[in-house]
């Protein structure tokens, strides 16, 4: 019987955020990966709050041993015009107050912690970037040798053909720091872009939430965090469920090939106009460029939701 391969090293760069919290729990519930570091970034709420939220989510799952390093508190060039408290709650976790962690924040800046992990790893490291790309752009710019050692960069952000969700043109994570996204997509890293084209059709229903809520205290807390997200989805989109954008990106990071991808040239609009933050994806033909990005264009939404629900239920 062949030996089971060891789990792949994983870093999650995140701005929790309700769906970020679910994504972290999904990573912890997945034996295919070994979550070795969480780096935090400004985004859904401010950096101090995203960092505190990451610590508390890991503590909820009994994994306070995973180091959390705080990263960029602002965008590279233009300060973020507004955050997403109206979606995620002012503290980022839908109004739910999780117990505080017993762990302290890693004293290293996020980009240093990430660079040291990459340079010290004897195996390719997968990095799931599910917030604004400020930390990853800083890594590319300051520690290019470390960035070059990323085995796979899975980004939740952008849209190839469905417009935006924060403006008519732009998805939130890219809009929050377009200059950073432009740096990352031009770097030639092995990047998968998981955008609104595949996340919007992938809806976690109340029935699915009830399944992991009934599994035990971790699932019950995760379901409670989702309550505000559900209310926002009904009010804003008229759907009876939630689009868990970041968890789908984590699913692709955990099980490569979950999504159907096509290599495309991607340019980010960094202008100050109405198109700021738009991902301009050349869909005329697959790209053979060294900087091509694997753009997710197809998903089995039912299978992806079942993967998320069953894994979250297993945490308890």
């Amino acid at each position: 019987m062949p030996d089971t391969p060891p789990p792949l090293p994983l870093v999650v760069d995140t701005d929790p955020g309700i769906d970020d919290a679910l994504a972290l729990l999904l990573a912890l519930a997945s034996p295919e990966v070994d979550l070795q570091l969480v780096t935090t970034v400004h985004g859904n709420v401010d950096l101090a709050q995203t960092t505190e939220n990451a610590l508390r989510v890991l503590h909820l799952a009994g994994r306070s041993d995973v180091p959390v390093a705080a990263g960029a508190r602002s965008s590279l060039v233009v300060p973020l015009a507004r955050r997403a408290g109206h979606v995620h709650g002012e503290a980022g976790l839908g109004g739910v107050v999780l117990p505080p962690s017993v762990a302290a924040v890693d004293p290293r800046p996020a980009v240093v912690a990430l660079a040291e992990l990459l340079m010290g790893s004897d195996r390719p490291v997968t990095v799931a970037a599910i917030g604004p790309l400020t930390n990853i752009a800083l890594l590319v710019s300051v520690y290019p040798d470390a960035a070059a050692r990323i085995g796979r960069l899975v980004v939740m952000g952008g849209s190839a053909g469905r417009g935006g969700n924060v403006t008519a043109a732009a998805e939130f994570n890219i809009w929050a720091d377009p200059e950073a996204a432009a740096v990352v997509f031009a770097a030639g890293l092995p990047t998968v872009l998981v955008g609104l084209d595949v996340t919007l059709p992938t809806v976690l229903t109340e029935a699915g939430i009830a399944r992991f809520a009934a599994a035990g205290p971790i699932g019950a807390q995760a379901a409670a965090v989702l309550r505000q997200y559900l209310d926002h989805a009904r009010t804003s989109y008229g759907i009876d469920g939630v689009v868990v954008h970041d968890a789908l990106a984590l699913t692709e990071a955990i099980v490569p090939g979950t999504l159907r991808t096509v290599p495309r040239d991607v340019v980010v609009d960094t202008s100050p106009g109405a198109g700021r933050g738009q991902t301009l994806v050349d869909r005329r033909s697959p790209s053979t460029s060294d900087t091509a990005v694997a753009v997710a264009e197809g998903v089995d939404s039912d299978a992806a939701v079942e993967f998320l629900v069953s894994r979250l239920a297993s945490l308890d």
Side-chain angles (χ1 to χ4, degrees), residues 209-220 309-310 312-316:
I209 295 168
R211 279 176 55 196
F212 59 76
I218 300 174
V309 170
S310 61
L312 290 182
S314 76
L315 275 172
D316 286 297

Side-chain angles (χ1 to χ4, degrees), residues 21-310:
L22 287 189
L24 284 173
L25 292 174
L26 176 60
L28 294 173
S30 296
E32 298 90 342
V33 293
D34 173 20
L35 182 59
Q36 297 188 349
L37 174 67
V38 173
T39 53
T40 58
V41 66
H42 72 99
N44 288 317
V45 288
D46 65 36
L47 179 70
Q49 193 66 61
T50 64
T51 304
E52 181 63 26
N53 289 348
L55 287 166
R56 290 184 182 228
V57 170
L58 293 171
H59 178 67
L60 171 67
R63 290 300 309 275
S64 295
D65 59 299
V66 178
V68 175
R73 64 181 65 250
S74 184
S75 309
L76 290 182
V77 178
V78 180
L80 186 57
R82 63 182 184 276
R83 303 202 183 276
H86 64 292
V87 176
H88 297 269
E90 290 306 312
L93 294 179
V96 174
V97 180
L98 297 178
S101 176
V102 298
V105 178
D106 192 301
R108 298 170 296 174
V111 68
V112 174
L114 179 52
E116 290 181 354
L117 187 151
L118 289 165
M119 295 303 290
S121 179
D122 59 359
R123 305 187 65 215
V125 177
T126 297
V127 176
I130 55 176
L133 289 170
T134 317
N135 288 340
I136 309 303
L138 289 170
L139 179 78
V140 167
S141 301
V142 181
Y143 297 103
D145 291 345
R149 292 175 63 88
I150 293 175
R152 198 159 174 259
L153 175 65
V154 182
V155 173
M156 190 281 123
S159 170
R162 296 194 64 148
N165 63 353
V166 68
T167 71
E171 178 278 329
F172 179 83
N173 284 344
I174 305 300
W175 173 84
D177 197 345
E179 286 79 11
V183 168
V184 172
F185 295 153
L189 302 177
T191 301
V192 180
L193 185 62
V194 182
L196 301 182
D197 309 273
V198 290
T199 65
L200 287 178
T202 306
V203 177
L204 171 61
T205 65
E206 286 204 78
I209 295 168
R211 279 176 55 196
F212 59 76
I218 300 174
Q221 287 279 37
V225 167
L226 277 169
R227 177 54 53 190
Q228 174 160 319
Y229 224 31
L230 271 169
D231 294 342
H232 175 74
R234 285 198 191 96
T235 302
S236 300
Y237 305 114
I239 60 173
D240 188 24
V242 293
V243 177
V244 281
H245 306 278
D246 296 335
L248 185 60
L250 256 294
T251 300
E252 174 62 30
I254 294 161
V255 184
T258 293
L259 304 174
R260 181 178 61 82
T261 65
V262 180
R264 305 288 192 191
D265 292 321
V266 180
V267 174
V268 181
D269 187 339
T270 58
S271 73
R276 180 170 174 79
Q278 182 179 9
T279 45
L280 301 165
V281 178
D282 188 346
R283 301 177 73 184
R284 293 173 293 179
S285 61
S287 173
T288 58
S289 167
D290 292 340
T291 58
V293 171
V295 176
E297 297 184 359
V299 59
D300 182 338
S301 294
D302 291 342
V305 170
E306 177 58 30
F307 181 83
L308 171 63
V309 170
S310 61

